[in-house]
């Protein structure tokens, strides 16, 4: 049972990547069929350009995940490298979200029309929000390490009472009610 975890990761990555490729292929073929057969009158070069332009981030992410996640095997069939964990948090998770959202936009655009591509505007808004909250969290964390936090916490750390404790003492302390 040598490398059991690596073999499990390789099998899981292979399954996930194959499923992602099939969904992507099906979604894009569905878009093209709907545009060519059902919505033939509204099919224009602009539609095709929008599809290529706005689907390309998902294709890039899909091929990147393929590159880092696909396991490699030696010529004798032994596992050489299991690939990166495709269920990792952080950037990998964001890449999957980007791919899922792009697939949703493609499906909506295939059924509704070119106006559905405006749904894709959520991605930069979400990215900006995530970056801003991360930076703010880092700033708070760094301020806490440097001793530049709130005045209340500094006062409480220095042995003084916080504002809340002072208010409680002013009111006669904390009262407990028994039933």
């Amino acid at each position: 049972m040598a490398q059991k975890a690596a073999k499990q990761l390789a099998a899981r990555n292979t399954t996930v990547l194959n499923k992602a490729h099939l969904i992507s292929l099906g979604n894009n073929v569905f878009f093209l069929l709907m545009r060519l057969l059902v919505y033939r009158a509204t099919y224009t070069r602009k539609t095709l350009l929008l599809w290529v332009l706005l689907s390309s981030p998902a294709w890039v992410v899909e091929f990147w995940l393929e590159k880092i996640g696909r396991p490699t095997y030696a010529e004798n069939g032994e596992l050489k490298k299991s690939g990166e964990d495709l269920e990792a948090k952080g950037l990998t998770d964001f890449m999957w979200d980007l791919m899922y959202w792009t697939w949703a936009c493609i499906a909506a655009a295939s059924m509704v029309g070119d106006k559905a591509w405006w749904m894709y505007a959520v991605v930069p808004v979400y990215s900006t929000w995530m970056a801003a909250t991360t930076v703010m969290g880092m700033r708070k964390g760094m301020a806490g390490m440097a001793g530049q936090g709130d005045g209340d916490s500094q006062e409480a750390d220095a042995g003084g009472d916080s504002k809340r404790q002072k208010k409680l003492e002013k009111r006669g302390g904390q009262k407990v009610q028994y039933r």
Side-chain angles (χ1 to χ4, degrees), residues 88 91 106 135-136:
L91 186 59
I106 292 170
V135 167
M136 293 307 235

Side-chain angles (χ1 to χ4, degrees), residues 95-177:
M95 286 186 199
W96 282 108
D97 290 345
L98 179 71
M99 243 174 43
Y100 294 149
W101 190 251
T102 303
W103 290 346
C105 290
I106 292 170
S110 65
M111 291 183 277
V112 176
D114 288 341
K115 299 235 187 264
W117 288 114
W118 282 102
M119 287 174 33
Y120 210 83
V122 171
V123 173
V125 171
Y126 175 71
S127 300
T128 305
W129 178 75
M130 286 296 289
T133 56
T134 302
V135 167
M136 293 307 235
M138 285 176 35
R139 286 182 64 201
K140 282 184 181 178
M142 293 296 179
M145 282 193 280
Q148 299 171 356
D150 298 346
D152 295 342
S153 62
Q154 280 182 343
E155 198 174 284
D157 290 342
D161 293 334
S162 68
K163 287 182 183 177
R164 183 171 183 259
Q165 288 172 334
K166 287 179 184 177
K167 285 181 182 178
L168 284 173
E169 287 177 7
K170 192 175 184 181
R171 283 187 271 173
Q174 191 172 10
K175 296 181 181 177
V176 180
Q177 292 181 345

Side-chain angles (χ1 to χ4, degrees), residues 19-127:
K19 194 183 301 184
H21 293 323
L22 285 174
I23 291 171
S24 180
L25 178 69
N27 202 1
N28 287 300
V29 167
F30 179 68
F31 175 83
L32 291 174
L33 286 176
M34 289 293 285
R35 286 288 147 199
L36 291 174
L37 301 176
V38 177
Y39 297 112
R40 180 176 244 162
T42 61
Y43 180 75
T44 62
R45 287 185 185 180
K46 178 184 144 193
T47 301
L48 191 60
L49 180 67
L50 281 172
W51 172 68
V52 168
L53 183 68
L54 295 175
S55 296
S56 59
W59 296 337
V60 169
V61 166
E62 187 175 346
F63 289 119
W64 174 253
L65 292 174
E66 171 72 28
K67 182 179 178 191
I68 68 167
R70 182 68 66 178
T72 55
Y73 295 93
E75 288 145 10
N76 61 1
E78 279 190 41
L79 183 65
K80 207 165 147 186
K81 188 181 110 186
S82 61
E84 298 292 324
D85 185 13
L86 295 178
E87 295 175 4
K89 298 293 180 201
L91 186 59
T92 307
D93 199 26
F94 177 73
M95 286 186 199
W96 282 108
D97 290 345
L98 179 71
M99 243 174 43
Y100 294 149
W101 190 251
T102 303
W103 290 346
C105 290
I106 292 170
S110 65
M111 291 183 277
V112 176
D114 288 341
K115 299 235 187 264
W117 288 114
W118 282 102
M119 287 174 33
Y120 210 83
V122 171
V123 173
V125 171
Y126 175 71
S127 300

